[in-house]
Amino acid sequence: MPINSFKNYPMSWKPSIDKTEKPIYQALAGQLEQDIVNGVLLPGTKLPPQRELADYLDLNVSTISKAFKMCELKGLLSAAVGSGTFVSYDALSNAYLLEDTKPQHLIEMGATLPDNASYEPLLLQLKSMLQETDYEKWFGYGRAGESLWQKDAALKLIRKGGFETTVDHILFANGGQNAIAATLASLCKPGDRIGVDQHTYPGLKTVAAMLSVQIIPIKSEKYEMSPEAFEYACKNENIKGIYLIPDYHNPTASFMSVENREMIAAIAKKYKQFIIEDASYHLLGKKPLPAVASFAPEQVIYIASLSKSLAPGLRLAYVAVPTQFKEPISKALYNLNITVSPLLAELTARTIVSNQFEVLIDSHREQTIRRNQVVNRYFAGYTCLGDETGIFRWLLLPGKITGAEFETLGAHQGVQVYGAERFVVGNSCPDRAVRISVCAPKTIEELEQGLVILKRLLNNLT
């Protein structure tokens, strides 16, 4: 069809490309990315159907399809079966939340950090270890066969988080992010698709983008992944598995009901889907709910990291892996790490076995509750979702301001928070909300300083 016949035809995108530039699909993908970055195509824009765009440009549909796929794997586009292809709402958001250096002159209320109550006890434990006559072994390579008692410690911690497993299922990783990366690298190929909540952990998004794994938003009901939507995705979206944070969901601070955990597990078994259960926050509560893994232990990779419950510098996660996935995930962890730090593995195991970890968790919890009481006082009259034992909250904003706009306002006034746009997935519409870290400020006084500023900004919006 001659290109001029589209002169007055309504299309959301009318690219102009140099067809001498080969391959053409790369040139088209480059133009699409540039138009998104430059704001020509706004988040949420529905692109023309591929055949329609092919007619407009006088190209093969396969060329359009390749260009769209390139941009989809970069996270710029989101395709929904039966709905079309859209510019992702998170196409331009920065998913790297931990800055290279601490923001100057900003009160940190963005990063999800526990308070520092555990630092001194861990230091005393570490000093004791380094005074032993064979201390040099903490600085060599650790070997899996030498860590059996450390796996017993892992079982103790995982049990406290709501899941019973056995030593033969335990692997060690250098933190939760490392475990997620190894799991996706071993179970997915480039172009594979996994389902996630409509707002999800940015670390999952960055790992998926690095591995060219597509993440597909699955609809939520009251901030819980809908089992019906999950089953629909199993049937129609060609997904291989899902990623969940059932307790203190990051960023919305919600909890998945026990009923939904059972239903999600049953659907995963029915359709042979794997589940990555991120248990980073399971230990924050006084009485953890049963893990999703407890309902489908043969389908769930359960990741219990220690950065949120003990200390961020303990770069260690215990991973309970079903037998069918153990060999590939074990190989991926070896290829990524060779081993975890023997020093940190031993320090953590001793802290758990001595029951000191329970004292530390209780101390964290008491501090968190006190801080949340302060947050509730300042945000009375506003909707600030989250539990009193959670280290972050999900603040819904009044008026029409977006999370990204409020994040910018906060930064200009000296407070770092993170807008919903950083967490949203694909063509899901972001909440008008920001995630606020309760424990990141060093003291309650600093927390109050930040809350005074945020409260003033909120009052100006109403």
Side-chain angles (χ1 to χ4, degrees):
M1 184 180 293
I3 196 168
N4 288 338
S5 66
F6 282 84
K7 183 176 181 181
N8 297 313
Y9 188 79
M11 292 176 68
S12 60
W13 186 47
K14 293 184 177 182
S16 176
I17 61 170
D18 181 359
K19 293 184 182 179
T20 64
E21 188 177 342
K22 305 293 183 179
I24 294 176
Y25 77 89
Q26 288 187 356
L28 183 60
Q31 181 63 56
L32 181 52
E33 181 172 359
Q34 184 178 344
D35 285 349
I36 292 172
V37 170
N38 292 337
V40 176
L41 289 171
L42 298 176
T45 301
K46 184 176 181 179
L47 293 180
Q50 293 184 20
R51 184 168 299 281
E52 190 173 289
L53 193 58
D55 287 345
Y56 173 74
L57 294 171
D58 200 18
L59 295 172
N60 292 327
V61 174
S62 62
T63 301
I64 308 297
S65 180
K66 284 182 180 179
F68 277 24
K69 179 61 68 176
M70 279 188 68
C71 290
E72 201 173 343
L73 289 175
K74 288 184 177 182
L76 298 172
L77 299 180
S78 178
V81 176
S83 298
T85 302
F86 299 80
V87 178
S88 296
Y89 276 98
D90 59 340
L92 302 179
S93 64
N94 178 12
Y96 298 92
L97 300 191
L98 193 61
E99 306 290 347
D100 291 340
T101 57
K102 186 179 184 299
Q104 294 295 312
H105 313 299
L106 284 181
I107 297 173
E108 175 62 83
M109 296 181 70
T112 54
L113 304 172
D115 65 273
N116 57 15
S118 59
Y119 294 173
E120 185 175 356
L122 288 172
L123 175 62
L124 294 175
Q125 183 75 261
L126 182 59
K127 284 182 176 179
S128 174
M129 288 171 55
L130 296 178
Q131 288 171 0
E132 296 175 7
T133 55
D134 58 349
Y135 70 87
E136 69 277 358
K137 65 185 177 183
W138 312 131
F139 300 98
Y141 281 126
R143 298 181 185 275
E146 299 170 350
S147 61
L148 289 179
W149 86 273
Q150 295 177 356
K151 290 187 176 183
D152 286 332
L155 294 183
K156 183 175 182 178
L157 182 135
I158 289 173
R159 188 179 304 119
K160 188 171 179 65
F163 179 44
E164 292 278 353
T165 187
T166 55
V167 167
D168 54 308
H169 291 289
I170 299 297
L171 298 174
F172 291 175
N174 287 317
Q177 179 83 350
N178 179 241
I180 292 169
T183 300
L184 290 184
S186 59
L187 301 186
C188 298
K189 302 185 298 294
D192 281 349
R193 298 153 70 91
I194 65 166
V196 299
D197 290 290
Q198 291 171 296
H199 295 80
T200 196
Y201 168 50
L204 182 277
K205 293 166 65 175
T206 57
V207 168
M210 180 182 70
L211 298 173
S212 295
V213 173
Q214 291 181 252
I215 55 175
I216 306 302
I218 297 180
K219 289 183 179 179
S220 301
E221 293 178 2
K222 297 179 180 178
Y223 292 108
E224 293 185 50
M225 182 181 288
S226 161
E228 293 78 15
F230 174 35
E231 185 159 24
Y232 176 87
C234 292
K235 293 177 180 178
N236 299 288
E237 297 283 5
N238 193 30
I239 62 172
K240 294 192 69 174
I242 56 173
Y243 168 83
L244 293 173
I245 309 176
D247 293 286
Y248 303 91
H249 174 263
N250 185 4
T252 64
S254 61
F255 289 78
M256 180 177 283
S257 67
V258 175
E259 180 184 13
N260 273 7
R261 293 172 197 236
E262 290 191 71
M263 292 174 68
I264 291 286
I267 293 166
K269 287 192 283 189
K270 178 180 178 181
Y271 293 95
K272 295 181 171 56
Q273 297 277 311
F274 68 78
I275 297 175
I276 302 173
E277 181 172 7
D278 188 337
S280 296
Y281 304 96
H282 280 201
L283 295 177
L284 299 183
K286 297 175 183 178
K287 293 182 179 179
L289 297 172
V292 177
S294 63
F295 301 113
E298 67 277 17
Q299 304 298 130
V300 180
I301 299 95
Y302 179 92
I303 301 173
S305 68
L306 299 161
S307 61
K308 311 306 181 186
S309 56
L310 287 181
L314 285 177
R315 303 312 304 154
L316 185 68
Y318 300 132
V319 191
V321 182
T323 301
Q324 63 173 320
F325 302 133
K326 186 175 179 183
E327 184 177 357
I329 293 177
S330 180
K331 286 181 178 178
L333 285 168
Y334 179 84
N335 287 326
L336 287 172
N337 308 319
I338 299 181
T339 182
V340 299
S341 163
L343 179 66
L344 295 182
E346 183 74 11
L347 172 61
T348 303
R350 291 189 184 196
T351 303
I352 293 170
V353 170
S354 67
N355 289 328
Q356 193 176 29
F357 88 108
E358 296 197 16
V359 176
L360 294 179
I361 289 172
D362 287 344
S363 177
H364 281 311
R365 188 181 298 122
E366 290 172 9
Q367 178 67 229
T368 302
I369 290 172
R370 283 199 297 271
R371 288 178 175 236
N372 273 300
Q373 288 170 347
V374 176
V375 172
N376 290 340
R377 189 168 72 247
Y378 276 90
F379 290 157
Y382 294 99
T383 303
C384 193
L385 305 178
D387 189 81
E388 65 172 1
T389 55
I391 62 175
F392 58 88
R393 305 286 290 272
W394 191 237
L395 175 65
L396 302 185
L397 300 171
K400 296 183 179 180
I401 192 169
T402 66
E405 290 167 344
F406 191 83
E407 177 183 328
T408 300
L409 282 178
H412 287 162
Q413 295 297 316
V415 182
Q416 178 71 74
V417 295
Y418 289 135
E421 288 77 5
R422 292 179 180 263
F423 307 94
V424 76
V425 176
N427 65 341
S428 303
C429 187
D431 277 4
R432 287 186 296 101
V434 291
R435 191 189 72 186
I436 295 175
S437 179
V438 174
C439 294
K442 290 183 178 180
T443 65
I444 288 184
E445 290 71 28
E446 186 180 44
L447 171 66
E448 288 209 57
Q449 291 173 21
L451 292 172
V452 166
I453 294 170
L454 296 177
K455 176 69 176 296
R456 185 172 65 244
L457 292 176
L458 288 171
N459 289 343
N460 290 339
L461 297 175
T462 56

